[in-house]
Amino acid sequence: MMTVNEVSQLTGVSIRALHYYDQIGLLPAAGHTDSGYRLYDDAALERLQQILLFRELEFSLKDIQRILENSAFDRKMALEQQITLLTLKKQHLEALIALAEKLQKAGGSIMDFTAFDTQKIKDYAAQAKQQWGATPEYKEYEEKTAHKTVKETADMGSQLMAILAVFGTMQTKDPAAPEVQAQVKKLQDFISAHYYTCSKMILNQLGQMYAAGGAFTENINAAGGPGTAEFAQKAIAIYCKE
């Protein structure tokens, strides 16, 4: 685990920015010291790499958060898109350098503005964003959060995490127990009310994602205690089979 200061020194991201990413739910800390200072694990650093790659490609924080929280998010596919976009940016910079060198050698103006054209980059970036937002659920989420403030969005994420954390207090029970299943229903209803219509199929996918390791698992277990994410996934699986 690394402190926020160590992460800042390692990545070049300011401590203020890391605090902000945590506050809006984009990069939650994996834990806290006894004094309340944020701590980050390997999963959090991996997520930070994804955030920084998207930022290099000039994606907004809102777009990045929506992409990373999309239940269909595929890291391998995202990396392929990022590599393509970065390659396009590289080609654009090389074209600008070549034009500048021509101008330097010519000692005068050259009426060539093709090197300034960034439409190809814009088109591919728009396509990538649209791909992650192509599902009806994503569009519904966009509509429901369009007018929410950063604080409202962060509070919504905190409420969702609080619902998930309750599963940690239920681990001595059978995941099929009525009270546990009632908590799953509460989770489903909350997602439907604040994010998008959460069908049993989608809920089951979310449950698998919660327990699949990485930032989601770490954050849920940090909130509810070890094993919370895995227990929640079992309860969700039972609920979705009914």
Side-chain angles (χ1 to χ4, degrees):
M1 300 282 272
M2 299 178 68
T3 65
V4 67
N5 186 54
E6 290 170 336
V7 172
S8 178
Q9 291 179 352
L10 174 68
T11 65
V13 179
S14 70
I15 293 175
R16 183 178 180 181
L18 290 170
H19 286 176
Y20 181 66
Y21 290 172
D22 188 4
Q23 288 170 5
I24 65 174
L26 178 61
L27 182 69
H32 296 82
T33 66
D34 293 337
S35 302
Y37 293 104
R38 293 171 173 84
L39 292 172
Y40 296 84
D41 59 6
D42 290 344
L45 291 176
E46 181 181 308
R47 185 177 173 93
L48 180 57
Q49 282 183 329
Q50 284 290 324
I51 293 168
L52 295 179
L53 280 169
F54 279 122
R55 288 298 283 163
E56 284 293 326
L57 298 169
E58 300 176 12
F59 280 43
S60 70
L61 292 179
K62 193 172 184 180
D63 281 333
I64 296 170
Q65 188 163 8
R66 288 175 177 176
I67 289 171
L68 294 179
E69 292 180 358
N70 190 316
S71 60
F73 178 71
D74 184 318
R75 184 173 178 273
K76 182 179 179 182
M77 184 184 295
L79 282 170
E80 289 173 355
Q81 290 174 335
Q82 289 162 349
I83 290 169
T84 299
L85 275 168
L86 288 168
T87 301
L88 289 173
K89 286 191 74 173
K90 177 186 175 186
Q91 292 170 351
H92 173 62
L93 288 172
E94 288 174 343
L96 288 173
I97 292 169
L99 174 62
E101 289 175 341
K102 284 181 183 178
L103 288 169
Q104 186 180 49
K105 290 178 182 178
S109 62
I110 298 175
M111 293 296 106
D112 181 1
F113 292 88
T114 56
F116 297 100
D117 186 5
T118 59
Q119 193 58 47
K120 195 172 181 180
I121 298 173
K122 291 176 182 177
D123 288 345
Y124 190 87
Q127 180 185 340
K129 291 176 185 178
Q130 185 178 12
Q131 182 174 353
W132 294 116
T135 64
E137 293 78 24
Y138 180 90
K139 291 174 182 175
E140 186 180 351
Y141 169 76
E142 239 185 356
E143 291 171 2
K144 286 184 176 180
T145 59
H147 303 294
K148 289 187 181 296
T149 65
V150 169
K151 185 180 183 305
E152 286 172 337
T153 302
D155 288 345
M156 198 165 68
S158 297
Q159 291 172 45
L160 176 62
M161 189 59 69
I163 292 172
L164 286 165
V166 172
F167 287 104
T169 67
M170 298 179 162
Q171 292 188 68
T172 56
K173 303 178 184 293
D174 187 324
E179 57 268 39
V180 180
Q181 290 299 293
Q183 187 67 14
V184 176
K185 179 66 165 57
K186 183 176 180 180
L187 172 65
Q188 182 186 34
D189 289 345
F190 183 87
I191 294 171
S192 292
H194 297 87
Y195 291 90
Y196 44 75
T197 303
C198 187
S199 66
K200 285 191 174 182
M201 183 181 73
I202 292 173
L203 183 62
N204 192 45
Q205 291 173 346
L206 288 172
Q208 292 172 7
M209 181 176 67
Y210 293 155
F216 278 109
T217 305
E218 295 287 340
N219 291 333
I220 293 170
N221 287 345
T228 299
E230 292 78 6
F231 180 79
Q233 189 276 322
K234 290 177 183 176
I236 289 170
I238 293 169
Y239 177 86
C240 293
K241 282 181 181 178
E242 294 180 357

